[in-house]
Amino acid sequence: MLTDTQIEDDRWADAGLEPLAEAAARATLDHLGFDPDLYMISLLGCDDARIAVLNAEFRGKPAPTNVLSWPAQDLAADEDGEAPYVPDETPQDDPFFDEDAGEGIELGDIAIAYDTCAREAAEAGKAMTDHVTHLVVHGTLHLLGYDHVRDKDATLMETIEVAILGKLGVADPY
């Protein structure tokens, strides 16, 4: 599996986070031409209290947010609007790489907060599954070096998100 999901808040299990995350992350890598079986993403399904602690610790913002991501590699493009660098591939001759064992190159970690996601979905009149799918695609793109701080980067990232979500049957969130 591409995603290694840890559930701290049982509501995520009831919401089907594991299969949603796996499908969203796989669709993202597939869309970008990467073999999902070569990579691994760690995903934490938590609540607002936990994500607020993580947000304070890593971003200096002591408040809950919907999703956070920590890329294993800095793949960000140098120029605004350029595609990020390609993540390292597993050497084909690596005797320790076992694709069948579910191992892969770490792309990074994603944390997603149930309370904020549920509130945002309700406020926007969206299905929770669609919103979570969008946020996992968004987080996966961050792990792959995409960002939305600079204008052209944001346009590139949003365009890719919309295309991936469309393939998954999720309406344009923007």
Side-chain angles (χ1 to χ4, degrees):
M1 289 192 63
L2 168 62
T3 55
D4 178 21
T5 303
Q6 302 297 316
I7 301 213
E8 284 187 358
D9 185 321
D10 290 338
R11 294 174 293 176
W12 279 121
D14 295 338
L17 179 60
E18 286 188 67
L20 281 174
E22 182 72 15
R26 280 189 170 278
T28 303
L29 291 178
D30 281 338
H31 180 82
L32 296 171
F34 299 120
D35 180 352
D37 294 326
L38 294 180
Y39 300 97
M40 179 174 265
I41 295 170
S42 296
L43 178 73
L44 173 66
C46 61
D47 61 13
D48 271 6
R50 175 79 158 123
I51 211 159
V53 169
L54 294 170
N55 204 15
E57 183 178 345
F58 292 98
R59 296 180 63 224
K61 298 179 179 185
T65 189
N66 51 19
V67 67
L68 293 171
S69 58
W70 296 270
Q73 302 175 49
D74 181 6
L75 301 172
D78 295 325
E79 295 295 321
D80 188 8
E82 286 184 353
Y85 294 100
V86 174
D88 291 336
E89 296 277 337
T90 299
Q92 298 302 319
D93 299 331
D94 184 349
F96 300 106
F97 178 72
D98 183 359
E99 186 175 318
D100 295 329
E103 299 170 359
I105 298 168
E106 261 302 323
L107 289 178
D109 303 328
I110 297 171
I112 187 166
Y114 187 89
D115 307 283
T116 298
C117 290
R119 185 184 71 254
E120 289 175 346
E123 288 172 356
K126 297 178 183 177
M128 177 75 161
T129 55
D130 288 354
H131 191 49
V132 171
T133 297
H134 174 215
L135 292 174
V136 173
V137 168
H138 185 87
T140 302
L141 286 172
H142 276 307
L143 298 183
L144 293 167
Y146 291 88
D147 208 344
H148 44 82
V149 174
R150 301 179 297 191
D151 289 343
K152 292 178 184 174
D153 288 343
T155 299
L156 176 62
M157 185 173 181
E158 289 175 11
T159 300
I160 293 169
E161 282 179 35
V162 169
I164 294 165
L165 292 171
K167 290 178 181 178
L168 292 169
V170 176
D172 182 343
Y174 300 105

